[in-house]
Amino acid sequence: MTGMVSERPKRRRQPPLPAALDRRFEAVVFDWDGTAVPDRGADASGLRDLIEQLCEHGMQLLVVTGTHVGNVDGQLGARPAGPGRLVFCVNRGSEVFAATQDGIELLHRREATAKEDAALDAAAEATVDELARRGLQAAIVSQRLNRRKIDLIPEPAWEDPPKSRIGELLEAVEDRLRRAGLAGVREAVALAMDAADRAGLSDARVTSDAKHVEIGLTDKADAAHWAFQELERLGIGPSLVLVAGDEFGPLGGLPGSDSLLLVPEAQRSTAISVGREPTGAPAEVLSLGGGPERFVTLLEDQLERRRRGDVPDIDGASTWTISVEGLDPRLERVHESLLTIADGRIGTRGTPLLEHSDADRAVLASWAYVGEGAESELAQGADWTALRGRLNDRPLSRRLDLRTGLLRQSGVVESIQFSSRSRPATTVLRAEGAERQFPAADRRVVERPRVVSALSDTRRPGWLERLAAYAPDRSAAREALAAAERTGFESLLAEHRRAWARRWETADIVIEGDAELQLAVRFALFHLMASVADDGEAAVGARGLSGRGYRGHVFWDSDVFVLPFLAATHPPAARAMLEYRLRRLDAARAAAVRLGYAGARFPWESAGDGFDVTPALAHLPTGEIARIRTGEAEEHITADVAWAAATYVDWTGDEEFARGPARELFVETARYWASRVRFVDGRAHIFSVIGPDEYHEPVDDNAFTNVMARWNLRRGAKLVESADERSSWLAIADALVDGYDPMSGLYEQFAGFFGLEPLVIADVAPRRPIAADLLLGRERTVAAQVLKQADVLMLHQLVPDEVAPGSLLPNLDFYEPRTAHGSSLSPAIHAGLFARAGRFREALRALRIAARIDLDDLTGSTASGVHLATMGGLWQALVFGFAGVSPRGNTLIVDPRLPPDWGALELCLSFRGSPLRLRIHRGGVELDAGDELELRPRDGIWEVVFK
Amino acid sequence: MNKVIAALDTSLAANPVLRTAVALAGALGSEVEAVHVTVDGDRVARSAAGAASVPYRTASGPVVERLIEIGRASDVVALVLGARGSPLARRPMGGTALAVATALPKPIAVVPPEARVRDHLRSVLVPLAGRDMEHHTPRAIVALAEGEELDVTVLHVLDELSLPSFTDQPQHEDEARVSEFLRRYCPWGIGKVRFEVRIGRREDVVPTVVDEMNADIVALGWAQELEPDLTPVVRTMLTRSTVPLLLVPVRVTGARELVSSAPAGTISG
């Protein structure tokens, strides 16, 4: 429950808030002495109550002060319960503590080495000696953690001057220094810096508060760095932060101590000074004056905003925000797909809250399908976003914060909504506007096939908070809703932001030098993360949870394109995807048996029961009704599923999985291929299949299918118990034809491909990508060397060890000009392969197409959902292609190809349980990771290895 | 009662213009009135109207201005004119028809001299480019399809420019694409309207489909400008086709029922 602010003495009436402060902040980073309290002896009990209540309402408060924790905590004595935290960044940036209900907890400490401690002593003594040499008596007055303090005016009159006498103090110290022939405090600082340098402290922090000179290893800037990084870890961007101090302006020719709070990470935050600022505050600081009283007023205002339920804002950083201004009837459904918020279990399209005829609302549940066979589709829950009334042509602005998964809508209604990353299948909406736009408070349970939705509204005039929980059954939905209600909006928001921030810590990619691509990449990563659950089983449809397209059916898209990203950034989600396949292994076995084969054969399209749900017919744009044969012939999916399991094991080293469920998967899929091949003239063949290039069907000995089957057989042979089977599979693998011609270095895509009409797409098409089957007509397409997407080249992407060394370039040169890129999967794969070949112009062109497929609706079908596999392909292009990252046992290989226009490429990954950040730049590669990993160069490449 | 005006001149098109007006009026539940703006006698027009038993009146003054004035009357729902332009002319509609069609915000049927016109409209073909917002399916035509006796087919012709870049999985992709196309360019739903997609140049495909489906009239939504995208179809219809062309103005701003005037949705970072 929210308590009341304790009684405080009445204060002067405060001036109205400047516009920059007339808003809700999510965090306050503030100086202590002179900002929060007048001095260290002041009564802070009122402030304590205020801070505890702010924390209870979700505000993050970070005190940055030079003093030690005992001083500030002794004075404040706050013991907040959260969800907001009170953090003390003390000892000039050397220590960080959290104040909790249980007391003070150390979060971070900079420990000086013995050598550094000795150097600090030496520097302080040298400074005192130098001052003495000039006739000025000074004294080392404290040897605190990581710093030494020298009193420039050790006189009784100035033993402990209050902040309010800073001007007089400065004058007295300057006078004293001038009498000793020094130019002032500035020169005293310069002397200390020289001394520190001579003592071997090249990065010493030398500061002055007018009375003292301090030589330290850290200062307030280090505290500010930590504070903003911590806020980023909480999902709070700088524009949501208020920075408060009282000494930003220069003092004695030196920058004010609080100016150190304005670190680069603080850019876009709002900085205020409540101090006197005798020399004026810097332009970027709003100078309010008024001292601690003014500061407390601001905190009270923030508390009031939280009590009345103001709608929080999002950070709005340009490379983290997808913004849609207005409502274009033609593009509305595309925009709703782009703005989808999801938590792996529930996905909600970014529709306006008010009704609009061009909107397409949907709340999709990932755990269940309804309907049968080809008609089966993702189940849907009750809508939780609709308010009352029509939007019509009134203003609307929607912004999706990719960093936190928060959708902020503005216009007639101000709102924030999220699908909780920390408790999937729970959604939260807070909105304010005119009373007529809000329905009466409602509490209901809606039962639909396989999805129960429990919703509850909390209402005040012109204000609504709506929680919803979704589950397969009624009791689970109601329990989840009750738990969310007990937790409350602020805690739900805090845990959601934090959960998203944690995901980004091992997933973000930074491209220096291309802001547009940067945003597009984060947009893709966001949807990849949002679409997949962390536990249980995860059926990942082609459009994720962003639309009804493809009915939520699962294709190789999820195994080959999406899963690698998750294996390398968040393995539990990859494991959940594999669990989806494993739980349908019996169906795959049954499918193989039905066709007269052994082992397990996975379906081209999969939904609830694991049997093939590929529609038999398609209505082509030409008006024709075409028979769809992918379900019966695009068999490489079986090897693709096994490849996905291997990829997961490669990245995670999950031995338990490898020895257990994965073993069965590898063996059963290999067993399928062993029974599927036919021997002719001593060679093994796979007849009548469809490869990734779906323009030609059916074909014999598709190189991709055969080589993937070969890889699958060899992988299975390592694990199968029967020696007979093992030797048989290895023999079959060796006998499988792969169409490789050592003379030309080319793989023939399938038997007879080289005999088709030679055709280069640029000669017949006005542009690429293009649907060549529509352009040329089916007959000519089938008879020509024209590809829908990478086929042979997919082998170089997936199983480079299974193809002939050096075969990438000849095959890239031969096949790419023949590729129409008529599949949205194609550009990203080629981008990565061109990057490996060092052909940056072509690589970047393909990369940009892949990056814009949904943002520019290049397929004309983004309205039905985003293209998740393309997004996975985009990640692979950057990580496997440009960065050249690949796992080899316990080593992560890094063999980068950095385009000239990029300053650097940074990747956040998780390798075998260890998070790491790689920075690839012109000068080489840098690794930022825990103590267990190190980076070492080797033969022109780099290796990340365990120590 | 509402009227369809048959604007008769002294050319050979007078008869097909009258027959088109009668057929159109039948579909719209309107009456027909023949009008001739006198320039140098009205014998041809008068006798044609008489033969068709259609009320007839004359007007005098500049032809274009007078027809626009007549067309603006609140009870006039459509105007039917003959196309007099040379088949090779840059503007195949002819000066009068073009001037009236671009100035009068009402459906204008332009009738080739050799038009084959049935007494009753049974089949309407609506070619739809689907590139710009101007190319909406005229709502009035969709409404006509609700009647029992009129077949309306919306024809989307994919040419080299509008051909999809990707086909992915056609068993899912095409359904999604068509559904979205119709929401964009036929936002009021298509009711009983049939939707067909063909591939080729519109000026080649449209006459072919007209023949295939034995269409009685081709209806085009337009923004009352003979823009480059529309010109080849109009030219083809008036030079190579033997069915009348009905140009239906589609407002591009204002009423939401056609196209929203809300700010265009933009994506930005």
Side-chain angles (χ1 to χ4, degrees):
Chain A
M1 290 294 292
T2 303
M4 294 294 293
V5 179
S6 64
E7 284 295 315
R8 275 184 290 279
K10 291 206 182 299
R11 282 188 287 270
R12 282 196 313 276
R13 186 180 171 81
Q14 295 289 342
L17 284 176
L21 302 178
D22 188 12
R23 48 178 286 228
R24 173 180 152 141
F25 289 95
E26 300 304 309
V28 185
V29 175
F30 60 102
D31 168 58
W32 183 247
D33 197 358
T35 300
V37 291
D39 55 62
R40 291 187 192 155
D43 174 20
S45 57
L47 183 63
R48 178 180 61 227
D49 290 345
L50 182 57
I51 282 177
E52 287 180 350
Q53 289 182 63
L54 278 165
C55 289
E56 191 177 331
H57 282 80
M59 174 76 94
Q60 306 293 334
L61 294 149
L62 300 97
V63 180
V64 177
T65 176
T67 190
H68 59 82
V69 69
N71 273 352
V72 64
D73 181 57
Q75 188 173 10
L76 182 63
R79 292 294 178 265
R85 281 213 302 186
L86 171 64
V87 170
F88 299 121
C89 305
V90 293
N91 255 335
R92 294 255 189 276
S94 283
E95 287 179 323
V96 180
F97 295 87
T100 71
Q101 288 202 302
D102 299 329
I104 294 297
E105 176 192 345
L106 178 67
L107 300 180
H108 165 76
R109 175 175 286 149
R110 164 78 159 90
E111 301 274 6
T113 62
K115 189 177 171 189
E116 285 174 328
D117 261 333
L120 282 170
D121 286 338
E125 283 161 14
T127 305
V128 170
D129 290 349
E130 180 61 24
L131 290 170
R133 197 180 64 75
R134 297 185 183 212
L136 188 135
Q137 186 202 349
I140 301 171
V141 291
S142 69
Q143 295 190 330
R144 295 207 178 132
L145 178 68
N146 299 339
R147 60 193 165 111
R148 304 294 180 264
K149 200 168 184 177
I150 300 157
D151 191 350
L152 296 175
I153 187 162
E155 298 172 4
W158 294 105
E159 191 175 340
D160 190 16
K163 274 270 181 179
S164 56
R165 295 184 63 200
I166 185 76
E168 293 170 60
L169 169 67
L170 179 62
E171 203 171 306
V173 171
E174 296 266 295
D175 184 51
R176 192 165 188 267
L177 292 169
R178 274 194 295 273
R179 277 189 272 117
L182 290 155
V185 173
R186 196 171 181 166
E187 190 171 351
V189 167
L191 288 176
M193 289 180 79
D194 281 349
D197 202 35
R198 286 197 303 275
L201 295 171
S202 58
D203 193 27
R205 314 293 160 83
V206 180
T207 58
S208 174
D209 61 358
K211 180 171 167 58
H212 307 96
V213 168
E214 285 193 16
I215 304 169
L217 301 179
T218 60
D219 62 14
K220 264 188 169 177
D222 294 287
H225 286 305
W226 189 94
F228 278 94
Q229 285 164 11
E230 172 66 3
L231 290 172
E232 189 178 323
R233 288 190 284 271
L234 297 175
I236 295 173
S239 80
L240 305 173
V241 181
L242 178 66
V243 178
D246 68 323
E247 285 178 1
F248 287 94
L251 196 64
L254 297 167
S257 64
D258 291 331
S259 69
L260 296 176
L261 296 175
L262 303 178
V263 290
E265 299 96 312
Q267 259 190 357
R268 298 191 301 112
S269 65
T270 301
I272 59 160
S273 173
V274 295
R276 291 172 186 271
E277 299 288 3
T279 57
E284 67 269 32
V285 177
L286 190 59
S287 188
L288 299 176
E293 198 175 324
R294 181 70 161 140
F295 177 66
V296 167
T297 307
L298 294 176
L299 292 186
E300 287 172 340
D301 173 69
Q302 287 299 311
L303 180 59
E304 175 55 25
R305 289 172 191 276
R306 284 169 181 265
R307 280 181 168 160
R308 72 184 180 218
D310 280 13
V311 174
D313 207 345
I314 61 167
D315 180 48
S318 61
T319 56
W320 283 101
T321 310
I322 297 293
S323 301
V324 176
E325 297 299 326
L327 191 152
D328 182 336
R330 289 171 306 159
L331 298 175
E332 173 57 17
R333 290 154 305 281
V334 172
H335 292 159
E336 290 170 0
S337 296
L338 305 184
L339 296 172
T340 292
I341 48 177
D343 56 33
R345 292 284 177 212
I346 285 288
T348 306
R349 290 167 59 78
T351 49
L353 301 183
L354 299 182
E355 193 185 331
H356 196 283
S357 59
D358 289 302
D360 182 17
R361 293 181 186 281
V363 178
L364 297 162
S366 70
W367 64 77
Y369 290 86
V370 292
E372 295 296 323
E375 297 300 313
S376 57
E377 59 187 6
L378 277 182
Q380 295 193 44
D383 177 67
W384 58 280
T385 62
L387 299 182
R388 197 165 67 182
R390 297 183 65 82
L391 178 64
N392 296 326
D393 290 341
R394 288 180 288 181
L396 174 69
S397 168
R398 284 167 285 181
R399 292 176 297 143
L400 172 63
D401 183 14
L402 303 171
R403 196 198 316 248
T404 57
L406 293 171
L407 178 59
R408 183 73 163 81
Q409 301 203 31
S410 302
V412 185
V413 175
E414 296 290 320
S415 68
I416 194 129
Q417 57 195 109
F418 57 95
S419 201
S420 176
R421 182 84 253 181
S422 53
R423 52 182 81 203
T426 296
T427 62
V428 182
L429 165 70
R430 177 183 275 186
E432 57 188 356
E435 174 61 15
R436 65 179 177 280
Q437 280 134 8
F438 293 89
D442 193 13
R443 187 177 184 83
R444 62 197 163 109
V445 175
V446 181
E447 295 200 33
R448 289 183 180 164
R450 311 202 65 184
V451 181
V452 178
S453 316
L455 301 94
S456 82
D457 291 350
T458 304
R459 284 277 278 114
R460 291 203 302 267
W463 185 91
L464 171 141
E465 210 167 81
R466 179 178 290 159
L467 303 176
Y470 299 83
D473 62 70
R474 194 179 179 91
S475 69
R478 293 177 74 156
E479 276 173 31
L481 177 63
E485 287 177 314
R486 286 193 300 276
T487 304
F489 176 87
E490 295 295 353
S491 289
L492 290 168
L493 176 63
E495 66 180 36
H496 168 78
R497 276 184 173 139
R498 187 179 172 83
W500 262 110
R502 280 186 176 156
R503 289 298 299 270
W504 282 107
E505 282 175 12
T506 55
D508 193 19
I509 290 181
V510 176
I511 301 168
E512 287 183 10
D514 194 332
E516 184 182 296
L517 185 60
Q518 174 70 77
L519 175 66
V521 168
R522 284 192 172 133
F523 166 74
L525 303 187
F526 171 79
H527 280 288
L528 286 168
M529 289 189 275
S531 302
V532 188
D534 291 354
D535 56 7
E537 65 169 39
V540 182
R543 298 289 182 265
L545 296 171
S546 62
R548 299 183 192 83
Y550 286 62
R551 299 176 185 271
H553 291 182
V554 181
F555 295 74
W556 75 318
D557 299 41
S558 71
D559 307 284
V560 167
F561 291 84
V562 175
L563 184 137
F565 161 72
L566 294 166
T569 60
H570 190 64
R575 180 67 183 79
M577 291 178 69
L578 290 168
E579 188 63 23
Y580 168 79
R581 292 298 193 187
L582 288 168
R583 291 184 187 179
R584 286 152 187 82
L585 194 56
D586 282 342
R589 286 190 183 105
V593 168
R594 193 178 300 157
L595 294 168
Y597 300 117
R601 179 191 193 272
F602 282 97
W604 177 242
E605 291 191 28
S606 181
D609 60 14
F611 288 100
D612 188 57
V613 291
T614 308
L617 302 171
H619 292 264
L620 301 183
T622 54
E624 300 166 82
I625 294 178
R627 181 180 165 204
I628 298 300
R629 303 195 58 179
T630 46
E632 60 195 73
E634 196 146 359
E635 296 191 56
H636 61 78
I637 180 74
T638 292
D640 301 337
V641 173
W643 179 86
T647 298
Y648 170 80
V649 173
D650 289 347
W651 276 93
T652 63
D654 184 347
E655 286 303 319
E656 193 180 326
F657 176 74
R659 284 194 299 267
R663 183 190 158 281
E664 197 177 5
L665 185 69
F666 290 132
V667 168
E668 287 289 61
T669 48
R671 191 169 281 141
Y672 173 74
W673 293 117
S675 67
R676 178 68 174 82
V677 301
R678 290 290 170 265
F679 273 86
V680 176
D681 298 332
R683 300 301 306 273
H685 302 267
I686 301 176
F687 297 127
S688 195
V689 297
I690 299 175
D693 163 32
E694 292 159 340
Y695 287 162
H696 301 89
E697 60 169 37
V699 297
D700 295 337
D701 287 328
N702 167 246
F704 179 79
T705 306
N706 286 18
V707 174
M708 288 300 288
R710 185 172 74 196
W711 169 87
N712 200 164
L713 283 161
R714 288 172 175 164
R715 185 84 187 206
K718 289 179 187 169
L719 300 164
V720 69
E721 286 176 1
S722 159
D724 287 347
E725 273 194 306
R726 186 182 312 120
S727 59
S728 164
W729 293 358
L730 291 174
I732 293 170
D734 290 343
L736 257 170
V737 298
D738 63 7
Y740 182 63
D741 172 21
M743 292 299 289
S744 63
L746 294 178
Y747 286 84
E748 186 173 28
Q749 186 179 305
F750 55 81
F753 182 86
F754 290 152
L756 300 179
E757 176 197 353
L759 195 149
V760 170
I761 297 292
D763 293 343
V764 294
R767 59 183 156 84
R768 286 196 299 172
I770 195 160
D773 50 342
L774 299 180
L775 177 75
L776 302 175
R778 181 168 163 68
E779 265 184 42
R780 188 176 178 200
T781 304
V782 166
Q785 292 175 0
V786 52
L787 284 68
K788 183 177 183 177
Q789 63 180 315
D791 194 303
V792 165
L793 291 170
M794 276 304 286
L795 295 170
H796 295 83
Q797 174 82 2
L798 300 190
V799 285
D801 292 342
E802 283 284 338
V803 293
S807 64
L808 170 62
L809 284 181
N811 284 282
L812 190 59
D813 283 339
F814 180 81
Y815 282 108
E816 198 283 331
R818 290 161 167 78
T819 304
H821 300 295
S823 161
S824 59
L825 306 178
S826 191
I829 295 301
H830 283 88
L833 294 174
F834 274 128
R836 296 312 306 147
R839 286 155 63 169
F840 293 125
R841 189 179 59 80
E842 293 147 299
L844 289 172
R845 183 183 175 277
L847 191 73
R848 292 205 171 91
I849 292 171
R852 304 300 301 184
I853 271 183
D854 286 311
L855 290 168
D856 293 341
D857 190 23
L858 298 180
T859 66
S861 65
T862 294
S864 68
V866 297
H867 292 68
L868 221 53
T870 303
M871 294 169 163
L874 184 64
W875 180 87
Q876 290 185 34
L878 291 165
V879 175
F880 301 158
F882 288 89
V885 170
S886 60
R888 294 280 161 138
N890 255 351
T891 300
L892 198 62
I893 305 293
V894 186
D895 180 15
R897 306 281 188 273
L898 194 67
D901 292 346
W902 293 0
L905 173 63
E906 287 187 21
L907 311 173
C908 297
L909 301 165
S910 173
F911 181 55
R912 304 207 162 201
S914 297
L916 62 116
R917 188 179 186 100
L918 284 169
R919 180 177 166 81
I920 297 160
H921 52 86
R922 297 271 148 248
V925 177
E926 293 170 23
L927 172 70
D928 180 5
D931 293 339
E932 70 276 15
L933 291 176
E934 67 179 351
L935 181 75
R936 62 186 187 203
R938 181 174 172 179
D939 301 333
I941 63 171
W942 282 263
E943 292 178 345
V944 177
V945 296
F946 287 88
K947 290 177 183 171
Chain B
M1 198 171 182
N2 290 335
K3 289 189 289 194
V4 173
I5 299 294
L8 306 182
D9 58 15
T10 55
S11 76
L12 292 175
N15 276 323
V17 165
L18 261 173
R19 295 185 67 185
T20 301
V22 169
L24 193 58
L28 296 172
S30 306
E31 294 177 340
V32 180
E33 183 181 26
V35 172
H36 174 70
V37 181
T38 310
V39 179
D40 48 4
D42 70 340
R43 193 168 57 84
V44 173
R46 182 180 295 278
S47 63
S53 302
V54 167
Y56 173 79
R57 66 177 159 122
T58 58
S60 59
V63 177
V64 171
E65 285 81 351
R66 199 58 67 233
L67 286 176
I68 291 170
E69 185 184 308
I70 292 167
R72 282 191 194 282
S74 60
D75 59 348
V76 173
V77 293
L79 201 67
V80 183
L81 303 97
R84 293 185 64 185
S86 150
L88 298 176
R90 197 167 59 85
R91 291 177 176 175
M93 259 205 270
T96 302
L98 182 62
V100 174
T102 52
L104 185 64
K106 292 193 178 176
I108 307 288
V110 185
V111 185
E114 66 279 23
R116 128 180 94 74
V117 183
R118 289 205 186 89
D119 293 340
H120 300 285
L121 292 184
R122 290 180 309 195
S123 172
V124 180
L125 181 69
V126 186
L128 192 57
R131 284 193 207 121
D132 306 311
M133 66 173 73
E134 291 84 351
H135 299 148
H136 274 253
T137 310
R139 188 173 194 172
I141 300 298
V142 175
L144 284 181
E146 297 304 314
E148 289 297 314
E149 296 176 358
L150 190 65
D151 291 329
V152 177
T153 301
V154 170
L155 174 67
H156 176 39
V157 183
L158 295 169
D159 59 17
E160 279 194 343
L161 290 175
S162 58
L163 205 60
S165 297
F166 307 98
T167 42
D168 285 3
Q169 299 292 303
Q171 63 271 33
H172 295 282
E173 194 78 14
D174 294 342
E175 180 185 332
R177 193 179 286 122
V178 167
S179 160
E180 179 58 18
F181 181 88
L182 291 176
R183 286 200 71 164
R184 288 183 190 181
Y185 299 106
C186 201
W188 33 81
I190 58 172
K192 291 185 179 177
V193 170
R194 283 195 302 136
F195 183 73
E196 289 217 6
V197 180
R198 298 292 173 93
I199 295 171
R201 298 194 314 163
R202 283 208 300 163
E203 54 270 39
D204 297 334
V205 172
V206 172
T208 305
V209 177
V210 164
D211 291 342
E212 270 178 30
M213 63 179 282
N214 206 12
D216 297 325
I217 194 167
V218 171
L220 271 178
W222 78 325
Q224 294 189 270
E225 283 177 21
L226 206 50
E227 65 206 78
D229 201 38
L230 211 55
T231 304
V233 180
V234 172
R235 182 195 300 275
T236 302
M237 290 311 302
L238 296 177
T239 56
R240 286 169 47 191
S241 175
T242 57
V243 299
L245 176 66
L246 181 65
L247 294 166
V248 184
V250 174
R251 282 173 291 169
V252 295
T253 57
R256 172 62 195 88
E257 65 175 13
L258 293 173
V259 176
S260 170
S261 59
T266 53
I267 304 167
S268 60

